[in-house]
Amino acid sequence: MTSMWGYRVLDVLWGALPVVLAVLAVRPVSPGELNKFVIRYGIVVTPGTHSAMKWYIRTGRCGRLAGAAIGLSAHPVLYALGVDVANPSLFYGIIGYLFGAFVTALFPRTPRAQPRQASLAQRRLTDYFPRVGLIALGAAVAVAGLAVAIYELEPRRAQPDFSGSSTGGLVLVTIVAVVTVVAIRTVVARSQPITSWELVAVDDAMRAQAVHTLGGAGLAIALFGASSCLLEMGGYAAPTWLHVAGGVAGAAAAAGALLAWGLVGAAWRVPRTVER
């Protein structure tokens, strides 16, 4: 009976989570939240940037949390409408969060009332995201491919106890890597009509925040996929050294995924200079 009540309480709390996220999404920007943003991205607070930062922070937060709330609500809403879909609500919530970050990063960033001019400053992806992260995305695909090739070619200790193809992990890693690169390149390439160079700096900070959110999450998922391929390869490999190597490499890839997730909230200052 106690366990049943505990399950019901958790079920109610989980059902209320989208509402909580929606409330958090629309709350005003607090001084602490603004100060954290300033420190993380090195923005100078001036009368011209203060209101813009508050609006950008709130818009980005609304997009991310609203996307997560919609994702978490997708299954119960579709089920109520008679649509039978799988129920990985947490997965839908994460996808919604990332999609919200992507969409809001493409919004125009300047008040319409102010005169605008074209920003001709060159933008490079590595100005907004560490080069090692881009290299790691390619490495995750390569490692997953190598693990699948070894799995298919090397003798196994036993037949797999699951049905399906071992290439599924490789396909997932490849798709995640490609989608991540396309998404962050799209955010970096977004045009930025400007009203002042102060607002360019603020826009660079918001652009970097979106790129880190998408890039860090995509890299973490890709490395977890590569870890799964390595552990599967090592788990069934007949040679002892390959069995051990697969386990060690898989654990290392999983640790790398946890580190990659830290890129989502990492401090970053756009190093490029602009011609005024």
Side-chain angles (χ1 to χ4, degrees):
M1 181 65 70
T2 302
S3 61
M4 182 178 295
W5 275 104
Y7 175 80
R8 289 181 178 178
V9 169
L10 291 176
D11 193 46
V12 170
L13 292 176
W14 183 258
L17 183 57
V19 178
V20 174
L21 292 177
V23 172
L24 292 175
V26 299
R27 76 184 190 278
V29 177
S30 67
E33 191 175 9
L34 183 63
N35 186 58
K36 183 178 180 180
F37 181 84
V38 167
I39 294 174
R40 177 174 292 172
Y41 298 103
I43 304 300
V44 178
V45 181
T46 67
T49 61
H50 184 268
S51 60
M53 276 193 292
K54 291 182 67 175
W55 188 82
Y56 295 164
I57 292 171
R58 190 173 186 180
T59 300
R61 186 219 299 146
C62 283
R64 294 189 299 272
L65 295 186
I70 293 172
L72 291 172
S73 305
H75 177 265
V77 170
L78 292 175
Y79 184 79
L81 295 175
V83 180
D84 187 16
V85 296
N87 186 24
S89 295
L90 181 60
F91 174 77
Y92 293 152
I94 293 173
I95 295 300
Y97 182 92
L98 297 176
F99 185 74
F102 175 71
V103 170
T104 53
L106 301 182
F107 282 177
R109 298 292 184 177
T110 53
R112 294 182 180 179
Q114 299 185 22
R116 302 190 300 179
Q117 56 182 320
S119 174
L120 302 179
Q122 183 180 4
R123 295 186 181 90
R124 298 172 302 176
L125 183 54
T126 52
D127 291 334
Y128 299 88
F129 195 71
R131 188 182 302 274
V132 66
L134 300 174
I135 296 173
L137 271 172
V141 177
V143 168
L146 179 62
V148 170
I150 293 174
Y151 175 85
E152 295 293 340
L153 298 175
E154 282 291 317
R156 301 174 189 167
R157 292 172 179 258
Q159 289 299 316
D161 55 1
F162 62 91
S163 59
S165 172
S166 61
T167 61
L170 174 59
V171 172
L172 173 63
V173 173
T174 303
I175 291 175
V176 169
V178 171
V179 170
T180 299
V181 172
V182 171
I184 61 180
R185 285 190 178 278
T186 301
V187 172
V188 171
R190 172 179 58 80
S191 62
Q192 175 52 53
I194 61 174
T195 58
S196 72
W197 294 104
E198 289 179 331
L199 294 182
V200 169
V202 178
D203 178 76
D204 275 341
M206 294 303 300
R207 201 186 303 254
Q209 183 183 52
V211 169
H212 275 223
T213 298
L214 298 169
L219 178 56
I221 295 171
L223 287 173
F224 270 124
S227 173
S228 175
C229 292
L230 287 166
L231 293 174
E232 181 181 340
M233 177 270 291
Y236 289 103
T240 302
W241 72 269
L242 194 55
H243 181 73
V244 174
V248 172
L258 295 177
L259 292 175
W261 188 257
L263 289 174
V264 172
W268 186 265
R269 300 190 180 191
V270 177
R272 70 175 178 84
T273 57
V274 294
E275 297 294 333
R276 304 192 181 193

